[in-house]
Amino acid sequence: MLIQSDVHSFLKNLGIKPSDTVVMHTSMKALGEVEGGCDGLIDFFKSYLYDGLFVIPTHTWASVGHTVFEYDPKRSVPCIGALPTVAAFRPDGVRSLHPTHSVAAFGARAAEFVKGEEKSTSPCPVGGVWSRFYDEEAKILLVGVGLNRNTYIHAIDELIDLPGRLTPSVHITIIDGENRYETDFRKHSSNTGSENFGVFERPLAKLGAIKYSKLGEADVMCVDARKCTEIIKNLWAKADYHLCKAEKDIPEEYYT
């Protein structure tokens, strides 16, 4: 069974400091048994990152903008698994007002960090929460999942304005208590290639943006957001084809 000391040792061994910003995509099934389940896991990370930020994605893209056109952080249920569903409604967290790619943030700076997300008009806009992970020099933990679950790569796509990544806009209402915000929102198109984000693993690992580890029964990738950004920007600058169109190794001559 995974306990608090295991999580603290895991983070320390990765070189993560209590003041760092950590984002985590997790498969609870891959982790195995955890003391206290989802709540216990959140508590373990929070207790280590006592001077930092702990962030869990709480996305609702499967419904909001498709079958419903309202987002309420107190009611909208995440579509990406057990841990996000628990994190979204914890009273000690602050859930952002982003309609499709919200996060639950924990820590003293949480409210300030997620401020302004109701103004978002795309999934990972420049200046939004997902792009702020670059400035934070965040560590992105992929626990029992692959790079195809790394939402941060979409923020890089928007930063370099890759074509064909967004749909025409739909109208969405964001509900925050008595406040209502209206936004014309562009969602991800079917051309993002996210199912093939794994093609970035080899260059990211070779160029030092990924550390590998283990937590419980799960294999883990720890991705440095800043290094990841610079490497992927460089790869796209040299590419003469859609890097994520298929599972095709990126040529090593693109690495430099």
Side-chain angles (χ1 to χ4, degrees):
M1 178 185 292
L2 191 70
I3 60 175
Q4 178 173 287
S5 60
D6 298 324
V7 170
H8 287 199
S9 295
F10 159 78
L11 292 167
K12 186 176 181 179
N13 290 339
L14 281 172
I16 292 172
K17 303 183 294 294
S19 57
D20 281 343
T21 295
V22 173
V23 190
M24 188 166 72
H25 293 271
T26 309
S27 165
M28 292 299 292
K29 182 178 180 181
L31 262 178
E33 191 174 2
V34 179
E35 184 178 42
C38 293
D39 280 308
L41 188 65
I42 294 169
D43 290 338
F44 301 159
F45 275 85
K46 277 185 57 189
S47 62
Y48 184 88
L49 297 164
Y50 55 85
D51 275 338
L53 276 173
F54 179 46
V55 181
I56 297 175
T58 56
H59 299 171
T60 54
W61 46 258
S63 57
V64 176
H66 279 295
T67 57
V68 297
F69 295 89
E70 290 185 345
Y71 168 72
D72 183 341
K74 298 192 183 316
R75 292 186 173 84
S76 297
V77 178
C79 60
I80 54 172
L83 188 70
T85 300
V86 171
F89 306 116
R90 291 245 317 198
D92 55 345
V94 181
R95 193 178 185 190
S96 67
L97 293 178
H98 193 291
T100 63
H101 287 68
S102 64
V103 301
F106 301 86
R109 294 192 295 119
E112 182 63 27
F113 184 72
V114 304
K115 188 176 179 180
E117 286 292 89
E118 69 278 4
K119 299 174 184 176
S120 298
T121 58
S122 62
C124 303
V126 174
V129 157
W130 285 97
S131 75
R132 291 173 206 163
F133 292 130
Y134 180 91
D135 299 321
E136 294 278 323
E137 299 185 50
K139 304 302 183 289
I140 302 163
L141 298 179
L142 304 173
V143 181
V145 298
L147 283 171
N148 62 323
R149 295 293 183 264
N150 186 0
T151 301
Y152 182 72
I153 295 176
H154 289 300
I156 303 172
D157 287 353
E158 292 203 37
L159 175 67
I160 60 180
D161 196 22
L162 289 178
R165 293 305 191 265
L166 301 174
T167 66
S169 62
V170 295
H171 192 77
I172 295 174
T173 301
I174 299 165
I175 300 169
D176 181 26
E178 295 182 357
N179 298 316
R180 299 288 189 276
Y181 304 97
E182 306 294 331
T183 182
D184 290 320
F185 191 86
R186 300 177 70 194
K187 301 187 66 182
H188 280 143
S189 73
S190 59
N191 194 40
T192 64
S194 60
E195 69 277 10
N196 295 319
F197 280 173
V199 299
F200 293 124
E201 182 174 353
R202 188 176 168 197
L204 290 175
K206 186 163 185 175
L207 298 174
I210 294 177
K211 291 182 181 179
Y212 293 95
S213 188
K214 190 95 173 176
L215 181 62
E217 298 175 11
D219 293 323
V220 177
M221 283 187 273
C222 178
V223 182
D224 183 298
R226 185 164 288 192
K227 290 180 181 178
C228 175
T229 304
E230 300 308 329
I231 292 166
I232 290 179
K233 280 173 61 180
N234 180 62
L235 292 171
W236 277 110
K238 296 187 175 182
D240 58 1
Y241 68 97
H242 187 331
L243 294 176
C244 303
K245 189 72 172 179
E247 292 187 29
K248 176 183 175 183
D249 285 346
I250 297 172
E252 289 204 16
E253 55 263 33
Y254 287 7
Y255 293 13
T256 56

